[in-house]
Amino acid sequence: MSSDSLKDGILGEFGDALPPDSKLLEECISMCQIYNLEPTDLRYKWEAIIYRPSVHSEITSFDMDSLTSLKAQLQRELAKKNTSMKPKPKPAVAIDRRRIPAFAERNMNKGQGVGLVKIEPQAGSSSAGASSVMFVGPKMDPVSRKARNYRYMYEKPSGRSEVLDDRIDEFAELIREHHKGLEFGDPSASTDEEVFIVGRITSDLDSLATSSKLTEATLCIESSRMLASGTRTPLRFDLAFEYEGKNSGGGRFLVTEMLTLPTLSQSPISSGLPNAKMDSTTGDPFSMAIATGPYTVDTDLAFQPWRAFLKGIRESKPNVILLMGPFVDAEHPKIQSGDTDSTPAHLFQKVFIETIRSFLDSSPGSIALLIPSIRDIRIYLLPNPAQFSINNVAFAATSIDVLFHLRKEEYIKRGTAVDPLPRHPMTRARTRWPIRAGIYCSSAVPFELSAEVNLDITHSSLLKLGEGSDGCAPDVLILPSRLKYFSKTVYGTAAINPSLLSKGMYSMLNFSGHGTGGLKERIKTEFIKLES
């Protein structure tokens, strides 16, 4: 349509609201030409933009402000149309979001699901912009990638049951190897002699309606189908997973002794032994700044703790920054109420990605690790939980508050023990890791906090620790928690709770390099308070 025809059509549609020789008219003609609109369509779209429903519905006057809003809306519609016409790339994780419950999708938006992992040209090599450390991420072979590429919440009850059953049998075999000649009995069978049993601690299903807290009245042990036909038997303690005791009738197993589980072996790094696989270029010292979200306080979206953290690392320039979500928290009051002018995606791009890029530009030897985030140069994207290494120092980390979940589900029964049970709850929580269970215990999710964990039992093998070629425990285990911060060496592994950045705290880890001393002497963790 010619400019004259458009001019006449627009004047006919808008009438006296549009002067014949105004700038508004020129803009309207230009918009019709750019977006291929008829004058009638232009008027309809303008009325939809400026219409405000009220008791007396009315349409406001036609001015430059409303025209600017209309142009922005047309641009968004065009961009959406162009995007829909492009072939969609294969997603990293095939998830049908239409079939995901609302609480699970909120968690996925918070970054507590499986993240994308950047594909490196070679194991341990860096992309554009050489860094001063050697990073080795999760395995990227076809088998490992296929194991991570699954559809969340599509597991079948039968598959879940088989995995839990196999896990009990796996523990039984580990205990047989550790305690030579040990045989297991059936906790549900009445016996006169004491027997050893192994199983999974659960809560009595009949009591879950009144309380989800584990108590002695609700304590049960579930054995595997091979060991005890998969029965659940109530536990009662005479004194103090594998137990010794007997079932004298009455439908309960009386525990008289508890044996400890075998732990993972220490890595050469932790034990200070020489490692033939390492060369002189992979044992250099490095520093790592560790921060965990939320990155802003509940009262605003100014991200002041995050900006204070950036100020600190710009001065110290650590070799590695490890950032764990949530970045833009779906549970933030202003996000939930919609009291923000920006979308979560725009906030993440503006507040985090652009500032991380700026930091990496100012510190060319550094890298950034995000659990999880988006692709970028020298920003490595990891699954959640993640296992990786820096200069051959093995790390395991997750943004899930494992310690708090265990603390809520803790049940204590004191008795005679070879190693006295620590009195402080945080000390007890620290001594639980790392063991054979993995980075998260499948039965540790409190009922009221279950929305915080996206966990398919059938894929719980991805949580196992010591799944590398050496089968050793990680050198550093990072478990951020709302509980008090700490750094503690447990079974040769440095366990760290860096606290939350919204509480004004982050941690700085310094590794002095490979040597003959123990890990405790070579890894120092400093807890840094943000400047107000």
Side-chain angles (χ1 to χ4, degrees):
M1 185 179 292
S2 64
S3 298
D4 292 338
S5 300
L6 284 174
K7 180 178 179 180
D8 294 339
I10 291 171
L11 289 173
E13 290 293 336
F14 290 92
D16 297 337
L18 200 61
D21 298 323
S22 67
K23 187 177 180 179
L24 284 174
L25 179 59
E26 296 176 3
E27 288 290 332
C28 289
I29 294 174
S30 175
M31 289 169 60
C32 287
Q33 292 173 337
I34 292 173
Y35 299 106
N36 194 25
L37 294 176
E38 295 289 337
T40 304
D41 297 332
L42 182 67
R43 181 172 65 85
Y44 288 159
K45 289 182 178 293
W46 168 68
E47 290 177 350
I49 286 291
I50 54 85
Y51 178 71
R52 296 291 182 270
S54 62
V55 178
H56 303 288
S57 297
E58 59 181 7
I59 296 178
T60 59
S61 60
F62 187 64
D63 52 21
M64 190 59 72
D65 290 338
S66 60
L67 191 65
T68 302
S69 300
L70 175 58
K71 185 183 292 187
Q73 176 65 25
L74 292 174
Q75 185 62 37
R76 287 193 294 269
E77 292 178 357
L78 181 62
K80 184 177 180 180
K81 181 179 179 181
N82 292 338
T83 302
S84 63
M85 294 176 65
K86 293 180 181 179
K88 295 183 178 180
K90 185 179 179 180
V93 181
I95 298 175
D96 186 357
R97 290 178 177 265
R98 295 172 299 178
R99 300 183 64 179
I100 295 179
F103 76 87
E105 182 139 20
R106 287 199 301 271
N107 285 343
M108 293 176 66
N109 293 335
K110 283 196 297 186
Q112 294 184 337
V114 175
L116 302 177
V117 180
K118 183 173 182 178
I119 302 175
E120 295 301 318
Q122 293 179 358
S125 63
S126 299
S127 58
S131 63
S132 60
V133 295
M134 187 188 76
F135 168 78
V136 179
K139 295 180 180 179
M140 293 306 299
D141 59 277
V143 175
S144 299
R145 295 182 65 183
K146 185 177 181 181
R148 294 193 293 264
N149 186 19
Y150 69 89
R151 307 180 74 178
Y152 172 61
M153 294 184 70
Y154 274 69
E155 66 177 358
K156 298 178 180 178
S158 58
R160 179 187 178 97
S161 174
E162 288 177 5
V163 170
L164 291 173
D165 201 65
D166 292 342
R167 193 72 170 139
I168 297 172
D169 291 336
E170 179 184 346
F171 269 71
E173 188 60 35
L174 286 170
I175 295 168
R176 284 195 188 99
E177 294 177 2
H178 186 69
H179 301 280
K180 303 299 183 181
L182 196 65
E183 294 298 330
F184 298 108
D186 182 351
S188 63
S190 298
T191 59
D192 295 329
E193 298 180 351
E194 292 187 340
V195 295
F196 289 97
I197 62 171
V198 62
R200 186 172 68 97
I201 295 296
T202 63
S203 184
D204 185 6
L205 291 177
D206 295 334
S207 304
L208 287 179
T210 57
S211 174
S212 60
K213 181 71 176 178
L214 199 64
T215 65
E216 187 167 2
T218 64
L219 200 63
C220 293
I221 187 165
E222 179 184 292
S223 296
S224 68
R225 288 191 287 264
M226 182 178 70
L227 294 173
S229 303
T231 57
R232 280 188 177 181
T233 307
L235 285 179
R236 297 297 181 264
F237 291 88
D238 185 31
L239 291 176
F241 28 156
E242 160 218 344
Y243 298 101
E244 184 183 24
K246 62 182 179 180
N247 187 335
S248 300
R252 63 188 62 182
F253 187 89
L254 183 64
V255 179
T256 57
E257 183 182 354
M258 184 178 72
L259 302 183
T260 58
L261 289 166
T263 61
L264 291 169
S265 58
Q266 295 184 28
S267 70
I269 300 292
S270 300
S271 56
L273 299 176
N275 189 349
K277 296 181 181 180
M278 296 189 305
D279 54 44
S280 59
T281 62
T282 61
D284 295 336
F286 65 89
S287 58
M288 174 188 284
I290 306 168
T292 305
Y295 291 87
T296 187
V297 295
D298 288 343
T299 55
D300 59 52
L301 289 172
F303 291 92
Q304 188 58 39
W306 166 247
R307 302 186 194 282
F309 170 75
L310 286 173
K311 181 181 178 181
I313 63 173
R314 287 192 184 106
E315 295 174 356
S316 59
K317 287 184 168 47
N319 303 111
V320 184
I321 57 172
L322 175 62
L323 307 175
M324 291 178 279
F327 295 95
V328 182
D329 192 356
E331 301 298 327
H332 193 283
K334 288 190 176 293
I335 296 293
Q336 288 187 323
S337 63
D339 187 13
T340 175
D341 296 330
S342 301
T343 64
H346 180 265
L347 277 174
F348 182 76
Q349 177 72 24
K350 188 73 176 176
V351 175
F352 294 99
I353 295 302
E354 293 182 7
T355 53
I356 293 173
R357 285 173 177 163
S358 176
F359 166 74
L360 293 177
D361 290 340
S362 65
S363 182
S366 301
I367 64 173
L369 309 178
L370 273 66
I371 304 178
S373 185
I374 63 172
R375 297 177 181 270
D376 200 84
I377 293 175
R378 292 199 346 259
I379 299 178
Y380 295 82
L381 310 168
L382 306 173
N384 187 12
Q387 298 187 59
F388 57 92
S389 70
I390 300 292
N391 287 6
N392 273 327
V393 178
F395 289 81
T398 179
S399 64
I400 302 296
D401 197 341
V402 180
L403 298 175
F404 183 71
H405 291 181
L406 279 173
R407 179 71 182 90
K408 285 186 67 68
E409 293 297 290
E410 184 179 48
Y411 171 74
I412 301 173
K413 182 76 172 182
R414 295 189 179 275
T416 304
V418 176
D419 296 321
L421 187 67
R423 291 185 178 275
H424 194 278
M426 277 310 304
T427 308
R428 291 195 301 271
R430 289 197 298 250
T431 58
R432 299 177 189 273
W433 259 266
I435 56 174
R436 296 277 181 175
I439 201 167
Y440 192 87
C441 180
S442 59
S443 59
V445 189
F447 179 77
E448 64 274 19
L449 299 175
S450 58
E452 295 183 6
V453 183
N454 292 352
L455 177 62
D456 272 351
I457 298 299
T458 51
H459 298 278
S460 58
S461 59
L462 299 173
L463 304 175
K464 288 185 179 180
L465 296 171
E467 289 298 288
S469 57
D470 55 3
C472 296
D475 302 309
V476 181
L477 180 63
I478 302 172
L479 300 172
S481 175
R482 68 197 77 178
L483 302 176
K484 187 177 180 180
Y485 61 89
F486 66 81
S487 176
K488 179 78 172 180
T489 301
V490 183
Y491 302 124
T493 292
I496 301 171
N497 170 18
S499 190
L500 308 180
L501 204 67
S502 59
K503 291 187 174 182
M505 181 76 68
Y506 71 97
S507 64
M508 182 71 73
L509 181 149
N510 288 282
F511 177 66
S512 62
H514 300 308
T516 57
L519 187 70
K520 188 174 182 179
E521 289 75 30
R522 287 177 289 133
I523 287 185
K524 302 296 182 183
T525 304
E526 180 184 2
F527 295 95
I528 302 174
K529 290 186 177 181
L530 298 175
E531 297 181 2
S532 56

